[in-house]
Amino acid sequence: MTNPVKTNPVTLEVVRNALVAYANEMATVLVRTAYNMMIFEVHDYCTGIVDVEGNIISQNTGGLPIFLADLGAAVVGAVEIYGKDGFAPGDVLVSNDPVLCGQHLNNIVVFTPCFHEGELMAFLASRAHWVDVGSGSSGFGSTSSQSIFDEGIQLRAIKIYSAGNRNEEAFRIIKDNIRYPDSSLGDLRAQIAGCKLGERRLGDMFAKYGKATVLDCVTAMWDQAEALARARIRAIPNGVYEAESYLDNDYVERDKIIPIKVRVIVEDDEMTVDFSDLPPQVKGPINSGPSGGIACARVAYKCLVAPHTGATQGEFRPLKVNLPPGKLLSAIRPAPIGGWSLSMPTVIDTILLALAPALPDHVPAGHKGDMSGYAMMGQDKSRGRPYICLNIFGGGWGGQKDHDGISAAVSICQGNVHNGPVEVQEAYYPIIVDNHEFLQDSCGSGRNRGGLGIEITIRSEDDAYLNTQFQRTVMPPWGILGGTEAKPNEIFIEGLNGERRQGAAVTRHLIKPGERVVMRTGGGGGYGNPLEREIERVASDVRGGYISVQRARDDYKVVVDDKGVVDDAATKALRAGA
Amino acid sequence: MGARVAVDIGGTFTDLVALFDDGRIAYTKALTTYDDLARGVLDCVNKANVNLPDFEFFIHGTTIAINTVIQRKGAKTGLLTTKGFRDVYEIGRSNRPDAYNLAYQRPVPLIPRELRYGITGRLASTGKVREQLDENEVRTAVRELKAVGVKSIAVVFLHCYANPEHEERAGQIIAEEYPECFVSLSHNILREFREYERTSTTVLNAYIAPIVSDYVIGLDKALRDAAFPGNFMIMQSNGGTMSASTARDLPVAMMESGPVAGVIGSGSLGQALGMPNVISFDMGGTTAKSSLVADGEVRVVTGYFIGGYETGHPMLLPVVDIVEVGTGGGSIAWLDEAGGLKVGPISAGSDPGPVCYNNGGTSPTVTDANLILGRLDPKNFLGGEMTLALDKAVAAMRDKIATPLKMTVEEAALGVIKIADAKMSLTVREVSVAKGHDPRDFALVASGGAGPLHAASIARELSIPKVIVPELPGTFSAFGMLFADVRHDYVQTNIRPMKGLDLNEVNAVFKRMGEEAVATLEREGVPKRLSLMTRTVDLRYRGQEYTLSVNVPAGEFDAAMLVKLRASFEELHYARYQHAAPEEEVEIVNLRMSSAGRFSEQDAMSFKRITQGGVSDGGKPRTRRVVFEDGAVECQVFQRGSVAPGQIIEGPAVIEELVSTTIVPPGDRATIHECGAIIIDIRS
C-alpha cells in the first residue's frame, strides 16, 4: 500500500466529505425550487465545485451520469474570455456554448466565482435542462435540425450579473428568445440560489482552514482518486478490446444506419478509449461536441473502475480518450447537436461490450441502449394556456453473472432519472395514459435473463403535438456468453382506423383525438446459456407472465403451463431432443 | 395526568420507563425476546416492579412492523389495481440511484406479479368516473386470490385520492367474498397522488397487517390478564401515538417508532428546561440520527424509504424528519487502497463488536478510539459488567491505521474521532443550517450510548452553545414515548391556483377531515378538551413541483386567510432557499390536518430525580488521563449517580453512568440541572 498523501489524512477526509456535502446541498436547492419536470422529476442536472482551471473538485451525488466531471468546460470558456482577473464577487455567468460544452443548448450552465481574501479560488456551477431555448422544437431538439442555428439561443459565458448588478439587457435577450420564460427564468433563479449557497459554504471553508490547507486537500483528493483507479485498472488483463454496434439513423438521412466501432486499450494502469473508428459527424442532430465522446468514455470507465466513489477530476487521469475532431462525438461547429446524448447509451454499452471478454463477471449483456422519452404539447383548454409534458421511462437491462437484468430501468446515461408518475401527468396536463406495464417476452433469454421493456400508451382528447427522439429500433440489445438478444424499441402512432405510422423520431407531430401513441421499450439481453437456467426460475417467470409458455419451451426447453406448473416428463423429453 | 409506562423494543434490548403519578420515574432494560416479543415486554414490567393496575397508559414502540418488511416475513398478499397499471408497483420510478453500479438491483416486490390484478374501471384526476368499475372482475380476482391462500389484499386505483368510490366498492366485494381477509384501501391510508408511492405504502400496510394484528391482540390480552385497566397506545413514525385498535388497521404508521420517540423526548425535555429549540442527536452502535425541534414543534415530513433510499420501499405517510449517517460506536476505521483514512459505514456491530470487546473483532472502531484516548474506562463499562481490552484496541489501531499513516496510536485515534465527529456534524448541519436554522439558537440533546461522548465536540463544530445530556440517555426512546401525544394525519391532494380559489371547496375538505379526526380521537378515548387540530397547506409557485408546508391560522378560509398564507409562504421560501418570487402565482397542492390528543401536558420539571442505581463513588471523583485535541490532561471522573443538582463541573471532565459516558472537554462547563439533566455550556 502506498500513501501518496502529505496532507493530514484527518483534515483531508473532513474536507472531502464537506465538499461533496456542499455540492449536494446546492442540488437540493435546485431540485426543490426548480420549475420544470426535467429538473425536479427527471433529475437532468448536476451541481459542483470547479477550480479556476476547470477541474472538478466535487460534484453532487445522484445527478446525470453523462454530466461526469465536465462542468469545467464552461468555466474554461469564461476564463478565456475574461481572464483570471476578470471576475468579481457577485458575478453570475450563464453558458450553453455548443463548442466548449458540446451538448444540446437546453443544458444551461450557471456559475459564480468564489473569492477568499480577494483572490479567485474556484467556481460554483450548476447545469440544468431548460424546457425550451427557442428553435423549431420544444422540450428537446428537433429531429430535422441540420445546424446549430436551428437549435436555439446560444449563450457563451454571459455575465447576467456583474459584481451584483443585474444585466437587464442580457435578461431581456434570454426572455425574448425562449417559449416558457416563467419556467426557465424560475429555473435560473433556482440555479443561482444553489450557486450562491455553495459560494457561502466554500467561502466559510477557506476562512476556517486557510487557502493552503484546502488546496492541499483538493490535490490529495485527486491523487488518491487517481491511485485507486490505477489499482483497479491493473486488475484488468492488458489487451486491445473491440466491439461494434449501430444506431438507427441521424433522423435526416433516414436510410443510413450509423455504425459505432470502439476500441479499448488496457495497458498496465492506464486505459485508452479509442474513438478513431467512429463515423464522421452526421447531417442530422445526433452529433455531440468532444465532451460527448469524453462523457461516454468516462461513464463506462467509472462503472468498471470507480463505481462507488464521488466524481472528482483525479480518478480520470488514467483514462485517455482518443477522439479525432469531426467525428459523431466530436462534431465541429456549426454541426447540429440537438440530440447530443442519443447515441450515448449505445456507445457506452459498446465500450462495455468490448471489455466483456476481459471482465465477464462485471459486464452485463446489452441494455435497451436508448434515452426513451417524449414531449407532448398543445393548448390546455381548461386552464387557458399552452402546456408541455415531458417524460422519461425505462427499459430492460442485460442479464449479468449473478442475477437477471433489471426491468423498466432508465439507461446507463440516466442514473437517478425518474419516470413521471401517471397521476402527475394526468393532473397537470390534458393527456391520458392508457397503460404503463411490462412487455412480455421483450427480454433476451439466458442463464440470467434480461430485464423487461415496457409499453406506455398516451393520447389526448384535444389536438396535441408529439416530440420523440428514439434510437435502437433496429439493432436489438445483445446477449452475451450464449444469452439471446432482446426486442428493440418499437414506437408507433395508431391512427383512427387502426393504421400505424412511425413515431420513433418525430417533431411537433400532430396527434388527433382518438389517436394513440404506443411506446414499447427494448428489453435487456440474456447472459449465459438459457438451458443452464434453473427450471423453477423459468416456471416462475411463466407464472408471473414475464415470459410466455412458448418462450419457455423455445428458448429454455421447459414445458410449463400458464400457471407455472412444469411437466417434468415432457421437459426431459424436449431437452433430450435438444 | 395519569401514570404511564412506556416499553420500547429495540434490536438488542427492550427498555421500560415508567412515570408514576408523583413524578417518580422507574426504568429497566431486558434482552429482546425475539421468539415471543410480548413475553419480553412482560419480563420488563415484572423486572421494574411496575404494577400495571396503577397505570392509565401503556405506550409501546416496537420494531415488529419494520422487521416484518425487512425480513420479508409478511403475509401472502394480493393487489387489485387499475387495468394497464399492474406493474406500476414493480416498475417503480425506473431510476437507478446507484448510477455507476452495473449490478444495481431494485427492491423485490412484496407481492409477486401473479398476485397482482389489473381491474377495468378508470377515474380522471378530478375524480370523475371515466369508465365504470367492472365488479365481476373484482369478484373473480378475489376468489382466485382466496383460492391460492392470500391473507391480505391491497386495493389501489388510479386517482382514487380524488374519489374513493371504486376502492370502496372493491372493499365491499372483498368483504362479501372473503370476509376474514385483511383489506387495505389506499384512500384510507393516504389521499395523495403519485401512484407508485401510494401503492407501495398501501402494499406495506397490507403485507404486515395480519402479523402486526396478531401481535397487538396478543399483547393486549397479556396486558389485560395482568389487570392493566388503561389505554394501550402504539408509537407511530409521525411522532404521535395511536390506539392499539387503530394500529391494527394502519400498521404501516408504526414503522419507525423508536428513533422518533427520542426526538419527541428531546423536544419535551427542551420545553421543560425552557429551551424550546433543540436538535436531537442519538448515536448508537451503527448509526447516528439527528432531528430538529423548533419552538417545541417536531418537524414532520412526508415519506421515506423503508430499507434505505437506494433499494428500499417508499412509504408516504408523515414521519418525523430524521437524518441518519452510518457512524456509530461500532463504525470501523480503515484505509482505502490509496491510503485515505475512512470511518464507517461498515460497522463491527455487536458481534464481534469493537476490538476492545475482546470478542474476535480485529478492525479498530470509534469505540476503540474512545478507549485509547481515555474517554472510556476499561474497567467501568456497562457499570463494570464488561472489561474492555485496551491493549488489543491499541494494537489494532497501531497496525491498521497508525503505522501505515506514520502516526502515533493516539494521533490515529484522535483522527478517527475527528472524522467521525465531522461526519456526524454534517448530519446535524443537514437538519439545521441546510434548512435555514441557525445552530446558535439551539441546544443539542445527546442520547444513545455514544451520543454524550461526542456531543460537545459536534456542538462546538456547529457553534451550538449548549448540550443537554438527559437522564437515562441509553433508554431515551422509551422516555420520549411517555410524552408522545396521540396523533393522526390526514391529507387531500387538491391542486388549485390560489388566485380565484374556491373557498367553499377548501372549507368543505377541512370540515370532512375534521369530522373524521374527531371521530377517530373519540373512538380512542381522547376527551374533547384534550383534542387539538392543526391544519397546513402545501404551497408552491406555479410550475414548481416541491412544496412547502405552511401552517394555517385559525378560522375559515377567506380572502384574508389567503393573504396571510401567501406571506408565510414567501417568508418560508426565502428562509429555506434564499430566494422568493412574490410576483408569481402560487398554487395549493395538498390540504393537511393533524389531530392530537394532548395527554402529555406534563411539566418535566416536576420529575423527582431519578435514582439510577449502579455505580456511585460516594462523591469522591477519581482522575484519569484523557487525550483531547490539544493534548493529554489528567481529568476528573465523576459517577452520575453521585453528582448533585446545582453542581458545576468544569471541563475537562468525564461523567460516567451505566450505559453511557459524557465528555466535558477542556474549557466547557457542565451544570447538573434540578431534573438530573447535565447541561454543558460550550465555549465558542
Side-chain angles (χ1 to χ4, degrees):
Chain A
M1 189 186 311
T2 57
N3 178 14
V5 180
K6 290 180 270 325
T7 319
N8 180 320
V10 177
T11 313
L12 168 59
E13 184 64 8
V14 172
V15 167
R16 185 207 321 267
N17 288 334
L19 287 169
V20 175
Y22 299 162
N24 285 337
E25 218 181 316
M26 291 168 68
T28 302
V29 168
L30 172 60
V31 169
R32 294 247 158 202
T33 62
Y35 285 70
N36 108 58
M37 191 156 161
M38 291 306 284
I39 302 174
F40 56 67
E41 209 65 73
V42 173
H43 293 235
D44 190 347
Y45 67 86
C46 66
T47 54
I49 307 172
V50 179
D51 81 359
V52 182
E53 318 295 332
N55 297 303
I56 274 283
I57 293 172
S58 74
Q59 190 166 338
N60 70 302
T61 33
L64 210 60
I66 44 175
F67 291 164
L68 251 186
D70 69 345
L71 276 168
V75 166
V76 170
V79 171
E80 264 171 28
I81 293 172
Y82 299 99
K84 281 185 189 166
D85 300 328
F87 301 95
D91 283 355
V92 178
L93 293 95
V94 294
S95 195
N96 66 353
D97 179 5
V99 175
L100 281 166
C101 298
Q103 310 186 345
H104 63 179
L105 298 173
N106 295 70
N107 287 351
I108 303 281
V109 182
V110 173
F111 50 113
T112 65
C114 175
F115 288 83
H116 171 62
E117 293 176 349
E119 189 184 350
L120 177 62
M121 290 285 114
F123 287 88
L124 290 303
S126 137
R127 172 189 290 126
H129 181 139
W130 285 14
V131 76
D132 185 275
V133 286
S135 88
S137 180
S138 242
F140 40 81
S142 158
T143 47
S144 60
S145 154
Q146 293 196 43
S147 125
I148 192 71
F149 300 104
D150 295 339
E151 298 183 342
I153 185 170
Q154 300 180 48
L155 303 163
R156 185 154 56 95
I158 306 295
K159 285 195 187 181
I160 52 168
Y161 286 85
S162 216
N165 298 313
R166 187 177 153 104
N167 180 344
E168 293 297 344
E169 286 86 354
F171 269 90
R172 207 155 59 232
I173 290 172
I174 294 170
K175 189 173 177 189
D176 292 347
N177 280 280
I178 59 181
R179 288 190 182 86
Y180 303 91
D182 286 354
S183 162
S184 298
L185 295 180
D187 291 342
L188 177 59
R189 250 192 330 270
Q191 287 182 277
I192 295 172
C195 291
K196 290 283 174 197
L197 177 83
E199 208 181 307
R200 282 197 301 280
R201 298 279 185 264
L202 189 62
D204 289 348
M205 175 182 270
F206 275 109
K208 179 169 178 183
Y209 292 98
K211 173 187 165 186
T213 302
V214 175
L215 296 185
D216 235 32
C217 286
V218 169
T219 306
M221 270 166 56
W222 287 339
D223 290 348
Q224 285 191 341
E226 176 183 353
L228 280 177
R230 288 193 188 278
R232 302 281 151 74
I233 300 171
R234 238 176 266 125
I236 307 174
N238 279 348
V240 178
Y241 303 99
E242 293 178 316
E244 52 189 302
S245 61
Y246 60 91
L247 296 169
D248 292 358
N249 59 65
D250 71 355
Y251 303 148
V252 170
E253 296 183 301
R254 294 206 175 212
D255 53 348
K256 269 168 70 175
I257 61 153
I258 300 172
I260 302 294
K261 258 174 108 166
V262 299
R263 185 180 301 117
V264 183
I265 301 133
V266 178
E267 197 171 6
D268 303 330
D269 61 358
E270 297 213 333
M271 186 187 287
T272 304
V273 174
D274 181 6
F275 283 130
S276 46
D277 292 336
L278 280 185
Q281 62 189 62
V282 292
K283 281 194 181 157
I286 71 161
N287 302 294
S288 78
S291 64
I294 292 167
C296 289
R298 282 182 171 178
V299 173
Y301 169 89
K302 189 163 174 61
C303 286
L304 296 173
V305 165
H308 300 297
T309 55
T312 182
Q313 199 75 30
E315 68 187 333
F316 297 112
R317 286 180 187 154
L319 173 68
K320 305 282 174 271
V321 182
N322 182 15
L323 181 58
K327 299 280 187 185
L328 179 72
L329 295 174
S330 56
I332 297 166
R333 183 182 169 88
I337 56 174
W340 72 289
S341 63
L342 301 175
S343 69
M344 293 186 172
T346 296
V347 174
I348 295 166
D349 229 6
T350 309
I351 298 171
L352 293 177
L353 179 64
L355 284 163
L359 296 166
D361 292 353
H362 291 89
V363 173
H367 80 323
K368 63 164 179 159
D370 179 72
M371 306 289 274
S372 311
Y374 59 78
M376 273 274 265
M377 64 204 92
Q379 186 66 18
D380 181 345
K381 288 186 180 155
S382 68
R383 297 175 181 89
R385 59 171 189 250
Y387 76 92
I388 176 165
C389 168
L390 282 81
N391 190 14
I392 292 216
F393 37 87
W397 272 60
Q400 45 188 301
K401 179 173 169 271
D402 293 324
H403 34 71
D404 292 343
I406 55 176
S407 297
V410 296
S411 81
I412 195 164
C413 293
Q414 291 160 308
N416 205 24
V417 165
H418 291 52
N419 61 36
V422 172
E423 288 179 345
V424 171
Q425 294 182 65
E426 292 190 349
Y428 291 1
Y429 312 110
I431 68 170
I432 297 164
V433 182
D434 281 334
N435 66 339
H436 181 197
E437 59 191 335
F438 289 146
L439 208 55
Q440 190 183 59
D441 288 342
S442 52
C443 50
S445 303
R447 173 159 68 77
N448 288 324
R449 65 165 169 79
L452 272 71
I454 54 158
E455 180 176 287
I456 291 185
T457 305
I458 58 170
R459 61 194 165 92
S460 177
E461 285 171 349
D462 289 312
D463 282 0
Y465 298 87
L466 177 73
N467 284 2
T468 58
Q469 292 187 328
F470 285 84
Q471 286 286 340
R472 295 297 293 277
T473 62
V474 186
M475 184 184 189
W478 46 82
I480 61 173
L481 300 170
T484 69
E485 63 189 32
K487 279 192 186 151
N489 288 321
E490 182 188 13
I491 293 87
F492 58 87
I493 297 150
E494 200 178 84
L496 297 173
N497 303 315
E499 77 286 2
R500 290 181 179 186
R501 52 191 199 271
Q502 82 83 17
V506 297
T507 299
R508 298 189 81 82
H509 182 96
L510 175 65
I511 307 295
K512 292 200 214 90
E515 295 190 323
R516 302 176 344 128
V517 182
V518 181
M519 288 160 282
R520 296 175 179 163
T521 59
Y527 181 103
N529 183 347
L531 295 180
E532 289 172 14
R533 188 173 179 83
E534 296 84 340
I535 288 172
E536 174 42 37
R537 286 173 76 204
V538 177
S540 165
D541 281 347
V542 173
R543 208 175 298 132
Y546 298 98
I547 65 170
S548 61
V549 167
Q550 193 63 41
R551 168 70 71 98
R553 172 184 281 268
D554 292 347
D555 285 11
Y556 297 97
K557 309 293 178 209
V558 173
V559 182
V560 56
D561 69 13
D562 63 355
K563 298 280 175 227
V565 179
V566 179
D567 182 334
D568 290 326
T571 300
K572 209 172 229 172
L574 184 63
R575 293 198 155 197
Chain B
M1 201 62 244
R4 50 201 118 126
V5 56
V7 176
D8 176 34
I9 298 184
T12 313
F13 291 107
T14 298
D15 296 334
L16 175 146
V17 179
L19 174 63
F20 297 94
D21 276 332
D22 59 1
R24 260 183 323 120
I25 279 189
Y27 79 102
T28 194
K29 241 180 174 13
L31 283 173
T32 295
T33 48
Y34 279 104
D35 54 323
D36 180 3
L37 293 173
R39 195 187 75 230
V41 171
L42 291 179
D43 285 353
C44 251
V45 168
N46 295 331
K47 200 171 155 188
N49 277 323
V50 163
N51 185 33
L52 284 176
D54 298 342
F55 285 83
E56 198 173 319
F57 285 95
F58 181 92
I59 307 145
H60 184 42
T62 168
T63 47
I64 190 170
I66 195 157
N67 284 348
T68 300
V69 175
I70 292 187
Q71 297 163 4
R72 303 185 68 87
K73 288 187 174 158
K76 189 167 189 179
T77 304
L79 172 68
L80 306 185
T81 189
T82 304
K83 189 176 176 187
F85 301 91
R86 169 195 188 195
D87 295 317
V88 158
Y89 175 53
E90 189 169 347
I91 291 170
R93 300 297 303 276
S94 294
N95 57 324
R96 302 179 66 257
D98 195 2
Y100 304 102
N101 177 8
L102 294 171
Y104 170 77
Q105 291 283 292
R106 287 253 184 71
V108 179
L110 298 171
I111 302 180
R113 193 165 191 251
E114 58 268 26
L115 301 181
R116 306 196 300 255
Y117 284 72
I119 305 290
T120 301
R122 186 70 148 86
L123 301 172
S125 66
T126 53
K128 194 185 86 182
V129 177
R130 199 170 250 160
E131 186 181 23
Q132 286 303 331
L133 181 72
D134 187 325
E135 299 191 0
N136 289 329
E137 281 182 28
V138 176
R139 213 170 282 281
T140 308
V142 173
R143 284 177 188 164
E144 288 182 18
L145 288 171
K146 183 179 181 183
V148 297
V150 157
K151 297 275 178 276
S152 185
I153 297 178
V155 184
V156 189
F157 293 137
L158 282 183
H159 299 301
C160 64
Y161 58 88
N163 175 3
E165 186 182 313
H166 285 178
E167 285 191 358
E168 277 167 357
R169 185 64 198 121
Q172 289 160 1
I173 295 170
I174 299 171
E176 288 161 22
E177 292 292 330
Y178 188 9
E180 57 281 31
C181 188
F182 284 85
V183 181
S184 300
L185 308 178
S186 86
H187 75 273
N188 283 339
I189 294 175
L190 75 165
R191 291 198 180 184
E192 197 167 339
F193 74 164
R194 285 172 195 281
E195 65 276 9
Y196 168 59
E197 288 79 0
R198 194 174 67 252
T199 304
S200 173
T201 308
T202 308
V203 168
L204 283 165
N205 196 72
Y207 183 72
I208 64 176
I211 283 83
V212 171
S213 180
D214 282 354
Y215 171 75
V216 169
I217 290 171
L219 184 54
D220 186 62
K221 181 170 182 308
L223 291 172
R224 301 303 165 199
D225 288 350
F228 171 64
N231 297 308
F232 173 19
M233 309 301 289
I234 301 237
M235 191 68 208
Q236 304 183 65
S237 322
N238 67 6
T241 63
M242 59 182 161
S243 67
S245 65
T246 306
R248 291 174 56 200
D249 291 332
L250 199 62
V252 70
M254 59 195 272
M255 288 284 177
E256 285 293 307
S257 52
V260 158
V263 180
I264 302 300
S266 301
S268 304
L269 184 62
Q271 290 274 31
L273 297 175
M275 291 183 257
N277 284 341
V278 298
I279 299 171
S280 69
F281 171 68
D282 169 2
M283 180 180 174
T286 52
T287 62
K289 303 182 183 79
S290 187
S291 184
L292 180 135
V293 181
D295 214 8
E297 207 173 304
V298 169
R299 227 183 99 78
V300 174
V301 293
T302 300
Y304 83 120
F305 292 81
I306 313 267
Y309 176 69
E310 289 181 354
T311 55
H313 304 270
M315 199 291 293
L316 217 54
L317 289 188
V319 51
V320 171
D321 187 16
I322 294 180
V323 178
E324 186 173 24
V325 64
T327 308
S331 291
I332 288 173
W334 54 286
L335 298 180
D336 69 18
E337 291 156 82
L341 175 55
K342 311 277 168 185
V343 179
I346 301 160
S347 169
S350 54
D351 188 20
V355 179
C356 62
Y357 284 14
N358 211 358
N359 188 30
T362 55
S363 304
T365 63
V366 169
T367 297
D368 293 309
N370 275 313
L371 178 66
I372 290 166
L373 299 174
R375 298 181 185 187
L376 290 174
D377 183 348
K379 295 193 186 62
N380 189 20
F381 192 69
L382 288 179
E385 274 178 37
M386 190 170 167
T387 302
L388 300 180
L390 175 61
D391 54 334
K392 293 213 159 132
V394 167
M397 187 66 74
R398 184 185 59 227
D399 297 347
K400 298 272 172 73
I401 308 291
T403 306
L405 290 179
K406 300 188 177 62
M407 293 172 139
T408 67
V409 169
E410 284 182 357
E411 280 169 358
L414 270 176
V416 168
I417 298 294
K418 196 169 172 185
I419 290 171
D421 285 351
K423 280 175 91 165
M424 294 187 287
S425 299
L426 286 174
T427 306
V428 175
R429 237 183 46 120
E430 204 176 322
V431 300
S432 56
V433 184
K435 300 215 163 101
H437 297 283
D438 187 337
R440 286 171 296 192
D441 301 335
F442 287 79
L444 193 67
V445 178
S447 66
L453 271 171
H454 295 262
S457 146
I458 289 163
R460 188 172 354 269
E461 171 74 24
L462 293 169
S463 306
I464 298 173
K466 274 185 202 305
V467 168
I468 304 171
V469 182
E471 288 278 13
L472 312 175
T475 50
F476 197 60
S477 285
F479 174 86
M481 283 173 199
L482 295 173
F483 301 96
D485 292 323
V486 175
R487 176 178 170 139
H488 297 288
D489 297 290
Y490 304 88
V491 59
Q492 173 74 60
T493 294
N494 198 45
I495 306 166
R496 305 278 186 275
M498 217 164 174
K499 211 165 108 188
L501 185 71
D502 181 346
L503 299 166
N504 292 331
E505 184 190 41
V506 173
N507 285 321
V509 171
F510 275 128
K511 182 156 177 280
R512 173 180 59 73
M513 282 184 188
E515 286 163 1
E516 205 179 326
V518 166
T520 303
L521 289 183
E522 267 176 15
R523 209 167 50 237
E524 297 191 323
V526 177
K528 203 142 199 181
R529 65 186 164 82
L530 294 179
S531 306
L532 181 75
M533 307 292 162
T534 48
R535 298 175 297 173
T536 52
V537 286
D538 295 348
L539 301 180
R540 67 181 176 204
Y541 293 119
R542 196 185 93 197
Q544 287 183 327
E545 176 61 21
Y546 285 91
T547 57
L548 290 172
S549 290
V550 173
N551 288 322
V552 179
E556 294 261 292
F557 265 66
D558 56 17
M561 171 76 87
L562 297 185
V563 173
K564 279 188 234 167
L565 291 175
R566 164 113 208 187
S568 307
F569 171 71
E570 306 286 357
E571 204 177 302
L572 194 57
H573 198 280
Y574 195 85
R576 187 71 58 80
Y577 305 118
Q578 293 82 43
H579 65 113
E583 69 286 354
E584 290 195 10
E585 234 184 84
V586 169
E587 263 177 358
I588 290 185
V589 179
N590 296 307
L591 307 175
R592 295 181 186 275
M593 177 175 281
S594 72
S595 67
R598 301 185 63 86
F599 282 116
S600 64
E601 296 277 323
Q602 168 98 19
D603 185 1
M605 289 294 290
S606 70
F607 296 166
K608 299 262 171 71
R609 266 199 91 223
I610 308 156
T611 314
Q612 287 213 41
V615 188
S616 161
D617 54 18
K620 293 201 186 83
R622 293 170 293 120
T623 65
R624 77 163 175 263
R625 182 176 174 274
V626 178
V627 185
F628 291 98
E629 199 153 340
D630 297 329
V633 278
E634 204 55 29
C635 229
Q636 284 201 302
V637 181
F638 297 84
Q639 297 305 315
R640 192 151 186 192
S642 303
V643 295
Q647 187 174 344
I648 290 172
I649 296 172
E650 298 286 348
V654 179
I655 306 169
E656 293 178 346
E657 63 193 289
L658 195 57
V659 289
S660 189
T661 300
T662 301
I663 294 289
V664 188
D668 296 342
R669 162 189 289 184
T671 309
I672 311 301
H673 193 272
E674 247 177 284
C675 73
I678 303 169
I679 298 175
I680 308 175
D681 288 296
I682 305 295
R683 100 191 115 87
S684 48

